Amino acid sequence: MRAVTFQAPGEVRLDERPVPEVRAPDQAIVRVRATGVCGSDLHIYHGRVQVEPGFTIGHEYVGTVEAVGDAVTRVRPGDRVAGCFLTACGTCIRCVRGEYQRCVRSRTFGFGATLGSLQGTQAEYALIPGADLTLRRVPDGVSDDVALFAGDVMGTGYHGVAASELRAGEVAAVLGLGPVGLCAVQVAKLAGARVLAIDSVEQRLRLAESFGATALHLHEQDVRAEVKALTEDRGGADVTIDAVGHPDAFELALRLTRECGRVQCLGIYAERAEVHLGLAWLKSLTIRGGQANVIAHIDPVLAMLADGRLDPSPLITHHMALDDAAKAYEVFDRREALKIVLTP
Ligand SMILES: [Zn+2]
Ligand SMILES: [Zn+2]
C-alpha cells in the first residue's frame, strides 16, 4: 500500500508499505477514505517532534472497516467509521475514570516511538488498536470530510468548552483561529456564550464572524481595551480559550480574562516558559490545560455533526490526492490552507 512517511525535516514522501493485518483480538484494519493534514503534523515536518525516518505519519482519518479481531464488538467489516487520533486501553486507573487522554498505555497515530510507535493514517490502510474505544460508526448523511473532524479538531474544540465549564450567557474569548480555535468558536456559540474571536488573519476572522462571533484583529485593534469594553462590568471574558500554544498568547489570555474567570489552554505547551503568574494569582484565575479527551467527546460531537449543529466544512480549504502529500505539506507549511483533506 501507499503511505506518507517522514524522511527528514521538510521532507515527506510516498512509500510502499505492507498492508497491516490484525494481530491482536482488540484490533481492526481500516481502509482509509479520507485523512487530514493537521497543525501537529507540522511539528514533525519541522523536526520539533522527532520521528524515525520512514515512519508513516498522520492521525486524522475516516475509513471503512476491513477486518476486526475476535474481541471487537462495536464495529464490523463494511462499517464506515471515524477514529480518534489516539488510543486508550480502557482498563487502567485513568481510563476507568474516563480520563482517556492520560491512559497509561495510550498511543498516538503517526508520532513514531515518541508516542507509542503506532503507524500513521496518511496511508491506504491503518491498523487500529483498541478499536472498540478508538472507532465510531459515522451516522448516515455525515460526509467523510465532516466526520474527519470528530476524532481530533472538533473534539479538541469541544474539549475547550467542556473543560472550561462555559455556560450559556457567559462571554468566551477564543485566541487563535486555526481549525481548533474556529471549532471552539462554533462549540462556544452552541453552548450559548457570546464569543470574541481573536486572530491576525483576515480570512480567519471573517470565518469566525460567519459562525456568529465578534471578530477582533490582534494587531489592528487594541484587543485588551476592546474586550474590556465589550464585556462591560464583567471586566473581561468569563473564559478565555488559548488555541495558540505560545507564551505570548497565554499571557494575553491571563489579561483578557475577568477576575475569578477561567483560562483553558488547548494549544500545546511542552517547554519552560515565562508568564506573569502573579496576574493569575491576583485575579484568582483557574487555569486548565492538557490534551483533549477526544475519546470521551467523540459521541456527542458526532451527534452534533450529524444534525448540523456543528459544521466544520467551511474550514476545509484543500482536497488533494494522497499521492500529492509532499505538495500538501508544502502548501500547509506556507500557511495557505486551514484544513487539507487527502484521499488515497
Ligand atoms: Zn490533528
Ligand atoms: Zn488506559
Side-chain angles (χ1 to χ4, degrees), residues 38 40 59-60 152:
C38 179
S40 53
H59 57 268
E60 300 178 357
D152 185 359

Side-chain angles (χ1 to χ4, degrees), residues 88-92 95 103-105:
C89 73
T91 56
C92 73
C95 281
C103 167
V104 299
R105 285 179 281 270

